[in-house]
Amino acid sequence: MSPDNYLYLAALLFTLGACGVLLRRNAIVVFMCIELMLNAANLALVAFSRMHGNLDGQILAFFVMVVAAAEVVVGLAIIVMLYRSRHSASVDDASLMKL
Amino acid sequence: MESLIGLLVAAPLLGALVLLTGGRRLDRAGHWLGTALAATSFVLAVVLFFDLLGRADGDRTLHQHLFSWVPVAGFQADIAFQLDQLSMTFVLLITGVGSLIHLYSVGYMEHDPRRRRFFGYLNLFLAAMLLLVLADNYLLLYAGWEGVGLASYLLIGFWQDRPRAATAAKKAFIVNRVGDIGLSIAIMLMFTTFGTFAFGPVLSSAAETGEGTLTAIGLMLLLAACGKSAQVPLQSWLGDAMEGPTPVSALIHAATMVTAGVYLVVRSGAIFNAAPDAQTVVIVVGAVTLVFGAIVGCAKDDIKKALAGSTMSQIGYMMLAAGLGPIGYAFAIMHLVTHGFFKAGLFLGAGSVMHGMNDEVDMRKYGGLRKYMPVTFITFGLAYLAIIGFPYLSGFFSKDEIIYAGFAKGGTQGWILGSVMLLGAALTAYYMTRIMLLTFFGEKRWQPDAHGHEPHPHESPATMTIPMIVLAIGSVGAGFAFNLNESFAHWLEPVTGLAHGDSPVGHGTVSLAATAVMVIGVGAAYLQYGRRPAPVVAPAGSFVTRAARRDLLQDDFNHAAFVTPGTYLTRGLVYVDHKLVDGVVNGLAAAFGGLSGRLRRVQNGYARSYAVSMFGGAAVLIAVTLLMRAV
Amino acid sequence: MNALTTLGTLAAETSTSTGESVQFWILAPIAVAGGLGTVLMRRAVYSALCLAGTMIILALFYLANGAYFLGVVQIVVYTGAVMMLFLFVLMLVGVSAADSLKETLKGQRWLAALLGLGLGTLLIAGIGQAAGGSFTGLGQANAGGNVQGLASLLFTRYVVAFEVTGILLTIAAVGATMLTHRERIERIKSQREQSVDRIKNATHIPPLPAPGVYARHNGVDIPGLLPDGTPSELSVNATLRGRGQIREVHREALRDLTALEQRTATYHGQRRQQGIDGGTDGASVGAGNGTEDERGDAGEESR
């Protein structure tokens, strides 16, 4: 088996996550789909690390994880705030970008 | 002494300011304040006049530089005054007649609730007129020129509740505007040609300038003069301007403002001297107007409009004389001054008659007034004799000099001009006699006015009769005094120059001829109006009479020549504007609007929609990257 | 641990073993299924569980690829902490709030499908174009141990980024606290004070209507019906309503009521007709209401 398969899998998961972001309206699910995309990217990075025989890819994946953790904290806080003020977790309800 | 020049203007200006902003508390004394300030100006003028007389001939030009108005590199406009013999003459006429008419107005406007405002406007007029004649450059002259236009507008439309007065005011303003454009163009031409518009440099360097430029400047100045002095083709406003109060007609539309055009031409004499073509046009305009005005004057039944026609005609004389060059300038001014006396006197007399006849203006409804208004009759009569050129009264001297100068033009031109002016003199005698006979002689044809009040003619109060008497004295004596040793012409000579042309007919012959045509005119009028009672309702008359009653179809001409084509042009432009310009603009706007309406949908505010665009962009980027690699 | 070592030795090689390929072909479809579940499950909790499953499988793949540290971190931090955080928030927001399947944005689904397909195709095509087949393997890099290797890189070459990440985490923690914190500006009212207030303002002096007054429905998630058959908004907890967890039964009840009235009316009509025909007295009608009903029912059934 070629390790390229990991990359194909990563691409597939990334696309799935992207479609989820586009399709779902629950902000939390949207957020989870973003996590899925990040994870797919991580898988690709790890696979790259193995292909190239150095650990830089893993380091990068590590940073992605840390940043994703920070993002989750802030993002979920925002969702909670949003839910408190608008009583809804739907991303469509917060269509305030249009005046 | 120079410092007094500014005060000449300042006094009436102060009056206008105080009266127009002072409010009702000035209602009781405002008219006397206005009159006093006008008289102050007159006193100052007399003081300055004696100062000038005390100086040597060549030293009679005073300058006062108040301040720099627009000091820009290459463009210097100053508020500066110049008082020379020509200005002095005008200042004396303006302040003198002006003061008298102020005094007259005290009585005439006694019952008008807005009398204070009237005096404010009169003072404003005096200030603007003095500014006009005292300015030492064309730009300041222009300021005064516009100022008198404004005052004229305000005063013609003083009874603004009368639609005719309001319309007449607008008409005067708009027709004057045509002339004002001429003046502004002339000033611009001067600036590009000479780099300045001060009288001194412009007039002294006129002789070395190309004739074409000078002709252009001259014609533009003439256009301005035509507008202000009601000369053909811009004459149509003067008749309607009679809707204003009679003192206004006397002061502005007979004695002073309408002569500003003559002043302008005489003041710019150096330019016209070097541009013979422009001079010819001036002569033609003057000659046409003098006949035109006279014919209109013959046909009008409205006493003020008949006098307005006469004014037009007399200014035609002046304009013609001014067009003759140095042989005519002095006499143009001399006629201007004598005309100021007798025409103001005639108007004041007419005002006095109207005052006694419930503001009736139709001469056919007067008749036999000499017994009821003796002072008015005598003063009016003296002015009448003066204007028709009765020997040894004012008009006789000044008009004969102009006719003589016309003949002195020489050749066929001289004969034509002389004949036209003699014809004008005959017509003058005719229409003035007609006015005289219809108003003061014959039987009473009085009619009750619109409210059913029978007129009770009575002599006017002293405030009105005194100015009339003074003006009558001027009408009688001024010409003789001026003509003594040609004193007036010599007084003006340093400014206007003086020349004697070779006339094929002598002075005496001209006087004789003028007197003869005068007698013919008077006789004809007597035959028509003196021997049999005049009908109250005007007879239908011939075609010429009907045309003359309609001011020789001037309004019809203007309407056909300017208003109708203008209307159609405007309609066409509006059509083009609507269909073409608006079509393009609106089409563009609609196209952009539609496009934005569609693009707006992209900006729907939903984060997921934006995410679609982001992913689309990412997909495109990847596609491009792959393509680049493949290539 | 033994298994891990085996996996590690597998990753160290420069070609993949059959074992790894078997593992991949078993786990990869499960991971994809988890991803699909995340995207497609109506209820957010299911989505979260699917995602957790995918993440665990990804952790296994990390291990298979020689990233031992990351594999463990993936399970501990991601599946353990982050996903728990998600679940907490889900519970906070409304655990069973299901997404409506109706798409509100016009063409969004088509576009999403098209883009997903396009993006996926492009990515796979790109990988297919770039894939070389051979690979280096981590044998050398992991020689001193994976964690040690990562640490030596992290604290030398990437030390600045590491520090900055620390700052980022601090900021995120403080930010989340700031965002969710609400300053209480007044004391909480006691129950007694609340009732005093109600009396004073004359709002809801009696207790709120009870939910589910019918014998069939006594759950708190069912609004009580008012005498006219309409549900009372006041009878259910506002939080339940906010989460969309109210069961709607009143329509059913109203339908039943209408049917009942109809049957009664039909029966009465028949009786009246019979009364006219047979001359039955009206007094017995009121007395035997229940039986008449039953009779009406029976009659309806027979029809």
Side-chain angles (χ1 to χ4, degrees), chain B residues 23 56 69 101 137 142 297 394 463 575:
Chain B
W69 183 11
I101 288 175
N137 60 67
Y142 188 67
S394 290
T463 47
Y575 182 80

Side-chain angles (χ1 to χ4, degrees), chain B residues 151-185:
Chain B
S152 163
Y153 167 78
L154 291 170
L155 286 166
I156 294 171
F158 182 71
W159 288 314
Q160 75 253 65
D161 49 326
R162 302 181 187 173
R164 286 161 58 98
T167 315
K170 268 189 279 184
K171 187 176 180 184
F173 199 74
I174 290 166
V175 175
N176 262 299
R177 200 115 301 270
V178 179
D180 294 348
I181 288 170
L183 184 52
S184 60
I185 292 175

